[in-house]
Amino acid sequence: MGANGSSISELPENEYLKKLSGPEAISENDPFWNQLLSFSFSTPTSSAELKLLEEAAVSVCKSLVENNPRTGNLAALIKVFLSRTKELKISTECQNHLFIWQAHNALFIICCLLKVLICQMSEDELQLHFTYEEKTPGSYGAECEDLMEELLCCLILLIVEIPLLDITYSISLEAVTTLVVFLSCQLFHKEILRESIVHKYLMHGRCLPYTSRLVKTLLYNFIRQERSPPPGAHIFQPESDGGGLLYGIASGVATGLWTVFTLGAAGTKRTPQQEESSPLANQSLLLLLILANLTDAPDAPNPYRQAIMSFKNTQDSTALPSPNPHAFQINFNSLYTTLCEQQNSDQATLLLYTLLHQNTNVRTYMLARTDMENLVLPILEILYHVEERNSHHVYMALIILLILTEDDGFNRSIHEVILKNITWYSERVLTEISLGSLLILVVIRTIQYNMTRTRDKYLHTNCLAALANMSAQFRSLHQYAAQRIISLFSLLSKKHNKVLEQATQSLRSSLSSDGSPLPDYAQDLNVIEEVIRMMLEIINSCLTNSLHHNPNLVYALLYKRDLFEQFRTHPSFQDIMQNIDLVISFFSSRIEQAGAELSVERVLEIIKQGAVALPRDRLRKFPELKFKYVEEEQPEEFFIPYVWSLVYNSAVALYWNPQDIQLFTMDSG
C-alpha cells in the first residue's frame, strides 16, 4: 500500500492485516510486527468514522477467529505489545516518539479486535483465544493461561505510571478505552453480570494492589480535563534537520510500508467541540463509574467502590489512617471545582451523586464550603431544563439536592447566599434572590412539570422530601417563591376536586353499570391527598419554626386564604390545618383592624409586627420533617444499565451496533 493513505473500506484487503488474521503463524520476533505497527492516523472520534472502522474490523476478526486457534497470532500481538510497554516509561523520559507510537498502534489494533470478539463470543471463548499458541494447533500452555490477566494488569500500570504528555496522551486514552472494552461484555447480557472472568482478574490477584492508584489516576484525569494534543503530536516527527539515526530508521520503515488510514489527517483542523473537550477525562470518568458499579464478588466487596468510598483530602492533616487498604488522598478543592464546572454531563452528575452518597469525607467537605452556589446552581439548571434532559439525569440531580437538604447547616446557609440576574430562569426576571428561594422555585417547577407530563410518583416524592427538609429553615423567602408555594397548593387543590368529582360520577354510574371495569379513582384520590398533606406539612413547618422570618409567605397565605377553607374539616387534614387556620385568622384580624385600602408595604409591615406579637405556644408542635435518601434494594439493577447507557452514548472512541445491545433498550439511555 506504500506510504499513501488508505480508506477504511480497504482495510479487510490490507496485506498486513490479512497476514495477521491469516493461516500463517507469526513469531513474536518477526520483523512483520515493526511493519504492521508503522502506520499513522488521528484517532477517530465521530460515530460515522467509528462505525466504518467497526465494519472493517468485523471482516478481519472473522478470519482471525477461524485461524487463531492454529496460529496463536492474537497472543503473539499481545506479547509484542507487552514487551514494548516494559520500556514505555523510559521511552517517555527520553522522548522516544517512535517507541510510544508503535506501542500505541499495537494497543489500538488489540482494542479494535477485542471489541468485535467480545461482542461475538462468550468470555470463556475469548479467554481461549488468549491461550492459543503456535506450537501445536489448538494447544495452550500453562505459561499463557494468564495472558488476559497480564494484559489487564499492564493496561492499569500504563494508566497509573506513564506521565501524561502530548506524546503519551493517545496511548493513555487507548489504555483506558481498552479497559472499557474489556468490561463491555455486560452490554451483551440482559441480566446483570455477577460472575465474570474480567471482573475476577480486576478484583483479585495481580490487579488488586493497583486499585487505589487506578481510581486516583482516573479521578485526576477527570479533574485535569486535559485536552487532546494537536493532531499529529503522537506521530513520530524529526527532531532536527538531520533527524539522526533513529529518525532514519523510522522513516525507512514508514515509507517502505503503509499508512492504514488518516481519519482527520495530521493537518486537519479540529472543531470547536474537539478543542474544548477532553476525551481522556471523559473516558476516564466512564471507566471509573463502570468500576465503581461492578457487583461485589461472592467472597469480597468491590475494591474500586471501597476506594471511592474512603479516599480523603490531601489538605486534611488530621486525617487518621484508614483501615481500608484501598484508601488514598486527593485534592478536594480541585475535585470540587471540576465537579461544579462539569455538571452539564450525566456522568459528572452521577459521580457527584456517588461521592455525596458513599464518601462521608467528600460530603462533609462539600457541605462546609462557603461557595455552595457554584455546585447547587448547575444542579438547579439541570432540573430547570427538565424537558431537555433524560429522566435519569433529572433523578440524579434531584437526589443530590435531597442528600444536601438532609443537612440543617446547608438549609440555613442557602438563604444567606444572594444571587443576582439568573439569566436561565425565564418565567420571571429575578434581579436579586437568595439561593434558597431559587431552589424552592426550581423544585416546585419540577413538581408542576411532573404533574402535567410524566406523572412519576418517585419524582414527586423526592421533590417534596427536599422541600420538607428545608421547610423549618426557610428564611426571608422571595415573594415569588412564596407565591409559587401557594400556587402549587392551588393546583393540587383543583386536581383534588377534579378527581373527587370523577370518583363521585363513577360511583353513580356504577349503580347502573353494565359490568365493565371502572377507573380506580380511589387510588388517584389517595395519591393526591398524600401530596396535599405533604404540602400542608411543609407550610406548617415553616410557620411553626420561622414565621417571623417569612412575611411574604404569610402574605401569600392570606391572599389565597379561600383555598384552605375546604380542608379545615377534612378528616385527613384537620390536625395539620389547625396552625395554618390560626395564622390566617390572627393576621386577617390585625389587617382588618388597620382599615381598608392598605398598600402591599403596609400589609407586610402589619405582618412583621404581628409575627412578633403572636405567642409561640399557641402554635401546635408537630414532629420535625426529616427525610433521608435511602438507596433502593439491588441498586445495581438501575445503576449498571444507566452507566453503560452513558458509555454507549458518550464514549469518545467506541461504537457498538445498537442491534447487538442486550442490557438496555435504545430509548432507555
Side-chain angles (χ1 to χ4, degrees), residues 453-473:
R453 305 283 182 85
T454 53
R455 300 182 182 181
D456 187 321
K457 186 181 178 182
Y458 182 79
L459 197 77
H460 257 15
T461 303
N462 285 287
C463 284
L464 291 167
L467 288 176
N469 284 346
M470 293 188 292
S471 59
Q473 274 86 33

Side-chain angles (χ1 to χ4, degrees), residues 69-138:
R70 293 181 296 278
T71 66
N73 284 346
L74 177 63
L77 171 62
I78 291 167
K79 288 175 183 176
V80 168
F81 168 70
L82 292 173
S83 68
R84 295 186 184 227
T85 56
K86 290 172 184 173
E87 306 296 329
L88 206 53
K89 198 169 184 180
I90 296 172
S91 299
T92 303
E93 292 169 359
C94 300
Q95 295 281 302
N96 187 338
H97 293 238
L98 172 63
F99 203 89
I100 298 167
W101 168 46
Q102 290 197 336
H104 167 268
N105 289 350
L107 183 55
F108 178 79
I109 294 172
I110 291 168
C111 186
C112 289
L113 296 176
L114 277 177
K115 199 165 78 63
V116 177
L117 294 174
I118 287 170
C119 177
Q120 294 182 347
M121 61 181 62
S122 69
E123 277 193 306
D124 290 329
E125 291 174 294
L126 177 66
Q127 192 174 37
L128 267 181
H129 277 278
F130 273 74
T131 59
Y132 291 131
E133 286 187 313
E134 177 189 352
K135 298 174 187 174
T136 308

Side-chain angles (χ1 to χ4, degrees), residues 357-500:
H357 177 53
Q358 297 185 0
N359 190 313
T360 54
N361 302 316
V362 172
R363 184 166 66 249
T364 301
Y365 173 84
M366 288 188 176
L367 288 168
R369 293 284 302 206
T370 57
D371 59 348
M372 276 298 289
E373 67 273 18
N374 292 338
L375 186 68
V376 176
L377 281 172
I379 298 298
L380 295 183
E381 203 166 347
I382 292 168
L383 292 175
Y384 185 79
H385 295 114
V386 59
E387 303 94 335
E388 302 166 16
R389 302 289 182 178
N390 69 69
S391 60
H392 289 357
H393 199 181
V394 172
Y395 283 142
M396 288 298 101
L398 190 53
I399 292 169
I400 286 166
L401 286 186
L402 180 56
I403 292 171
L404 293 174
T405 61
E406 291 171 13
D407 183 77
D408 286 340
F410 171 83
N411 295 331
R412 283 190 295 272
S413 65
I414 54 175
H415 293 286
E416 297 166 2
V417 178
I418 304 302
L419 309 168
K420 296 183 184 294
N421 300 316
I422 308 301
T423 54
W424 48 262
Y425 194 96
S426 59
E427 274 87 344
R428 177 164 171 158
V429 176
L430 299 174
T431 54
E432 188 172 289
I433 189 171
S434 72
L435 179 60
S437 288
L438 181 63
L439 197 159
I440 292 166
L441 284 175
V442 172
V443 171
I444 287 175
R445 186 180 182 275
T446 306
I447 294 173
Q448 291 180 322
Y449 174 84
N450 187 49
M451 285 175 66
T452 57
R453 305 283 182 85
T454 53
R455 300 182 182 181
D456 187 321
K457 186 181 178 182
Y458 182 79
L459 197 77
H460 257 15
T461 303
N462 285 287
C463 284
L464 291 167
L467 288 176
N469 284 346
M470 293 188 292
S471 59
Q473 274 86 33
F474 282 174
R475 294 289 187 277
S476 305
L477 289 184
H478 191 280
Q479 61 179 24
Y480 185 52
Q483 289 169 16
R484 298 310 297 162
I485 291 171
I486 305 304
S487 294
L488 175 57
F489 185 81
S490 174
L491 187 64
L492 292 167
S493 176
K494 289 174 185 175
K495 192 170 182 64
H496 177 267
N497 293 340
K498 183 179 178 182
V499 174
L500 191 60

Side-chain angles (χ1 to χ4, degrees), residues 245-401:
L245 177 62
L246 254 179
Y247 177 63
I249 295 170
S251 178
V253 170
T255 54
L257 298 172
W258 58 301
T259 303
V260 179
F261 49 88
T262 52
L263 294 174
T268 303
K269 187 177 180 181
R270 293 187 293 181
T271 65
Q273 290 79 6
Q274 288 173 321
E275 291 286 354
E276 293 299 321
S277 67
S278 172
L280 180 61
N282 183 64
Q283 205 85 317
S284 295
L285 177 52
L286 291 170
L287 176 58
L288 182 64
L289 293 171
I290 293 167
L291 293 171
N293 287 282
L294 295 179
T295 55
D296 292 336
D299 55 343
N302 177 348
Y304 300 96
R305 188 182 301 122
Q306 283 190 310
I308 286 171
M309 290 171 65
S310 58
F311 71 81
K312 297 178 179 179
N313 190 1
T314 51
Q315 298 173 335
D316 184 3
S317 57
T318 62
L320 297 172
S322 172
N324 187 333
H326 307 299
F328 61 91
Q329 289 185 305
I330 204 166
N331 188 307
F332 277 17
N333 182 59
S334 301
L335 177 61
Y336 179 82
T337 302
T338 305
L339 282 168
C340 293
E341 293 170 350
Q342 298 297 320
Q343 285 307 304
N344 58 319
S345 76
D346 282 72
Q347 47 267 41
T349 305
L350 181 54
L351 176 63
L352 175 58
Y353 158 79
T354 302
L355 296 177
L356 280 173
H357 177 53
Q358 297 185 0
N359 190 313
T360 54
N361 302 316
V362 172
R363 184 166 66 249
T364 301
Y365 173 84
M366 288 188 176
L367 288 168
R369 293 284 302 206
T370 57
D371 59 348
M372 276 298 289
E373 67 273 18
N374 292 338
L375 186 68
V376 176
L377 281 172
I379 298 298
L380 295 183
E381 203 166 347
I382 292 168
L383 292 175
Y384 185 79
H385 295 114
V386 59
E387 303 94 335
E388 302 166 16
R389 302 289 182 178
N390 69 69
S391 60
H392 289 357
H393 199 181
V394 172
Y395 283 142
M396 288 298 101
L398 190 53
I399 292 169
I400 286 166
L401 286 186

Side-chain angles (χ1 to χ4, degrees), residues 127 170 213 223 229 342 354 369-370 378 564 579 585 593 599:
Q127 192 174 37
S170 290
R213 290 179 67 190
I223 289 169
Q342 298 297 320
T354 302
R369 293 284 302 206
T370 57
F564 299 88
N579 286 343
S585 300
Q593 291 172 14
S599 66

